[in-house]
Amino acid sequence: QQQQFAQQQQHQQQQHHNSNGHGFYNHPVAAGSDPSLNGRMHAGNNLRSSILYQTDILPPDEPIPATPMGSNNMPSTPASANFSDSTSAQLRRRSQLSDTAAYGATGLKNFGNTCFMNCVIQCLVGTAPFARYFMQGGWKKDMVRDNSRKTEVTVEFARLVDNMWRGQYGSISPIGFRSSVGKCSEVFKGNDQEDAHEFATFLLDTLHESLNRVHPRPKPEREFTPEEEMQFETLPDVQQADIQWGRYIRRNWSITTSIFQGQSQSRLTCLTCNHTSTTYYTFTELSVPIPSADAAKGPGSKTLVRKSSKNNIRNTGPVNIYQCLDAYSETEILEGDNKWMCPRCKTKRRASKRLLISRLPLVLIVHLKRFSTIGHFREKLETNVLVPTRNLYMDKYAIQQQRQQASSSTCYNLYGVANHFGTLSGGHYTASVFNGLRGQWNYFDDTRVSIIPENNVATPAAYLLFFVQAQQ
């Protein structure tokens, strides 16, 4: 029965693959018109993944022509946008740039409180294969025009990427992009300071919906029957994960899926009969808690806590990123009022719950949960989270089969950081992004751009961390 169930699921996936014209299902990392992502070819060197050292990301000599919003005509790619220049010509052209107006080092104007938007844009534009997809025009043929507001966000984002990588200006004003975002989302319409994590989620989701290559979408698949659930639980983890990933990509495949999306496993285990219930979720950002230094050190430890009631800021001793990941994946015991209704026991039982990663993405975005709600009050954790810029190992937090897959590395290198300074109401966002073309880290404070040493990148203000998968 177990083999029959697994074969049925695999047969459904193969039928879907044969019935559509999308060869990218053969290479579930490839997306759009960017063949360089097939098989994760750009997975790295000793310093950082080589997707950050691409020379073919250099922009054409002509800008994307402006198209009035509301028009159904998409901006056309100029003839010079075929990236046919030789590498040496590209390098010569790059060497003529000044330090203040360089490729990948363009600042963004702050419209009062839009620094939360600027820092996310800088980190995404610094993601080379993502930027290359927009600059080479792959987004145009993938565009879904069902929602004009999301379409407008995508068109304006593509224009913004092109202008930022052109290297002609020290800073630019993203007024068109900001306007399109306000039309698409009430949350980001005004002039208030918003959350950078919420904006990153909004933007990547909007781009995914606008550029989903599975169109028209098939109907959602039915839920498993209780009998199928039982059979599903007998399968190895890697087979379970593949089945659920296949069900997801039958309705979702975009550049966002290709680069940023991973899959997590949540498993409940009855502590009486050992029956399990396993659920798989697709994630774009991995939100991890920041434990107190006491909790990270274990019972009996004490750390000085400095708290400012005026600004609702709490300071504790430093922890490292692995302690945050430990807190994310630690086993939780459900008991008392939280007991689980075990399908096999037919009654509520004490159960364990654990989260692991079943599919690691090419780019792993880690969201440090600095903001918390306690009763009616919100607090910000100013805990210094120590983060390595190179060699973050995710083995411990992935299912066993994911660790053993030869085609997938569990080691990551940092290439982007979105920082938050200050209080909940009066804070400021900046970004640090690795520029592979110049082999240096740039610090973006709205329109101001400067070079920053690598050892100054991961600061106590780190809020969003962008890691790229290293080569095996």
Side-chain angles (χ1 to χ4, degrees):
Q1 287 180 337
Q2 175 181 337
Q3 291 179 345
Q4 184 180 8
F5 176 73
Q7 289 171 356
Q8 287 174 350
Q9 295 297 318
Q10 291 172 355
H11 178 66
Q12 289 178 11
Q13 292 185 31
Q14 186 61 39
Q15 276 189 323
H16 176 77
H17 167 73
N18 293 336
S19 64
N20 70 65
H22 302 308
F24 55 74
Y25 282 108
N26 278 332
H27 304 281
V29 179
S33 59
D34 190 351
S36 65
L37 291 178
N38 284 340
R40 299 190 180 182
M41 290 171 58
H42 296 301
N45 57 24
N46 292 332
L47 290 178
R48 201 160 268 103
S49 200
S50 63
I51 63 170
L52 302 177
Y53 292 94
Q54 296 301 307
T55 54
D56 62 356
I57 196 174
L58 292 174
D61 293 329
E62 302 174 26
I64 297 177
T67 300
M69 287 300 98
S71 169
N72 291 327
N73 297 322
M74 305 295 286
S76 58
T77 305
S80 61
N82 56 11
F83 297 86
S84 58
D85 291 352
S86 66
T87 300
S88 60
Q90 291 173 334
L91 293 174
R92 283 198 303 272
R93 190 170 58 187
R94 186 169 75 241
S95 66
Q96 299 170 0
L97 298 172
S98 68
D99 289 336
T100 57
Y103 289 120
T106 302
L108 294 170
K109 181 180 178 180
N110 186 337
F111 296 97
N113 282 310
T114 56
C115 54
F116 71 92
M117 186 181 296
N118 292 348
C119 73
V120 171
I121 292 171
Q122 293 292 1
C123 291
L124 293 180
V125 171
T127 307
F130 192 59
R132 185 168 61 250
Y133 167 83
F134 285 96
M135 294 185 62
Q136 292 183 341
W139 61 278
K140 296 178 186 177
K141 69 176 184 179
D142 292 340
M143 177 67 74
V144 179
R145 300 171 188 252
D146 289 350
N147 187 312
S148 61
R149 293 181 177 180
K150 291 184 178 181
T151 297
E152 186 175 341
V153 171
T154 304
V155 172
E156 288 295 340
F157 182 76
R159 184 175 292 118
L160 184 60
V161 171
D162 182 81
N163 287 329
M164 290 177 68
W165 270 103
R166 189 165 305 282
Q168 293 178 331
Y169 309 102
S171 64
I172 59 176
S173 175
I175 189 169
F177 177 75
R178 177 179 180 253
S179 175
S180 68
V181 168
K183 294 176 186 177
C184 190
S185 171
E186 288 292 328
V187 174
F188 305 111
K189 188 175 183 178
N191 295 317
D192 295 334
Q193 176 73 276
E194 303 294 345
D195 188 291
H197 171 242
E198 292 179 3
F199 177 72
T201 301
F202 157 80
L203 180 55
L204 288 173
D205 181 65
T206 299
L207 295 175
H208 169 69
E209 294 294 329
S210 298
L211 301 170
N212 189 356
R213 295 189 70 187
V214 185
H215 188 75
R217 276 183 175 177
K219 294 181 179 179
E221 300 195 37
R222 65 170 179 82
E223 297 294 326
F224 288 149
T225 64
E227 292 75 20
E228 289 173 335
E229 286 273 10
M230 291 289 189
Q231 293 175 13
F232 181 78
E233 291 300 324
T234 65
L235 299 176
D237 285 354
V238 66
Q239 204 165 358
Q240 289 184 3
D242 285 345
I243 288 172
Q244 295 293 22
W245 183 252
R247 288 164 68 95
Y248 176 75
I249 64 174
R250 278 199 283 275
R251 303 188 71 243
N252 301 273
W253 193 262
S254 70
I255 187 68
T256 302
T257 311
S258 164
I259 294 176
F260 298 103
Q261 289 187 342
Q263 183 191 55
S264 63
Q265 176 200 76
S266 175
R267 172 162 291 160
L268 290 167
T269 304
C270 177
L271 297 180
T272 301
C273 71
N274 290 324
H275 176 71
T276 61
S277 176
T278 312
T279 307
Y280 291 86
Y281 303 94
T282 301
F283 67 86
T284 307
E285 307 96 10
L286 199 67
S287 294
V288 300
I290 301 176
S292 67
D294 291 347
K297 293 177 182 178
S301 301
K302 290 186 178 181
T303 301
L304 178 64
V305 177
R306 298 182 180 87
K307 184 173 180 180
S308 169
S309 58
K310 180 179 179 181
N311 295 322
N312 291 327
I313 293 178
R314 186 154 53 95
N315 294 292
T316 69
V319 298
N320 63 57
I321 186 66
Y322 290 110
Q323 291 166 326
C324 297
L325 291 165
D326 287 342
Y328 165 81
S329 65
E330 69 180 354
T331 301
E332 177 186 359
I333 302 299
L334 305 180
E335 53 189 350
D337 294 338
N338 296 320
K339 284 183 178 179
W340 176 48
M341 176 61 75
C342 175
R344 179 179 290 172
C345 296
K346 308 296 184 184
T347 188
K348 287 190 173 183
R349 297 289 195 189
R350 290 179 72 249
S352 64
K353 178 182 178 181
R354 192 181 185 195
L355 297 174
L356 287 173
I357 299 172
S358 49
R359 180 177 290 268
L360 287 163
L362 177 64
V363 168
L364 176 65
I365 304 176
V366 177
H367 163 228
L368 298 176
K369 298 169 74 171
R370 291 199 176 276
F371 303 106
S372 61
T373 301
I374 302 176
H376 298 290
F377 301 96
R378 291 197 72 199
E379 284 190 338
K380 181 190 175 185
L381 289 173
E382 289 280 11
T383 305
N384 184 10
V385 179
L386 306 177
V387 179
T389 56
R390 310 180 191 188
N391 299 328
L392 174 73
Y393 293 101
M394 296 295 294
D395 308 63
K396 182 179 176 181
Y397 314 103
I399 62 175
Q400 185 174 1
Q401 290 86 349
Q402 173 74 49
R403 306 173 205 164
Q404 297 172 347
Q405 286 182 2
S407 61
S408 177
S409 171
T410 58
C411 179
Y412 284 82
N413 296 314
L414 189 70
Y415 76 92
V417 180
N419 305 294
H420 181 269
F421 298 91
T423 65
L424 296 171
S425 57
H428 180 60
Y429 286 97
T430 66
S432 299
V433 184
F434 182 75
N435 186 323
L437 294 175
R438 288 178 172 267
Q440 67 190 26
W441 283 89
N442 289 327
Y443 184 71
F444 297 91
D445 186 355
D446 294 329
T447 57
R448 296 180 292 277
V449 183
S450 58
I451 298 173
I452 183 174
E454 183 171 332
N455 58 2
N456 291 345
V457 168
T459 71
Y463 184 47
L464 297 176
L465 305 168
F466 290 72
F467 293 93
V468 63
Q469 201 169 44
Q471 188 176 23
Q472 280 282 65

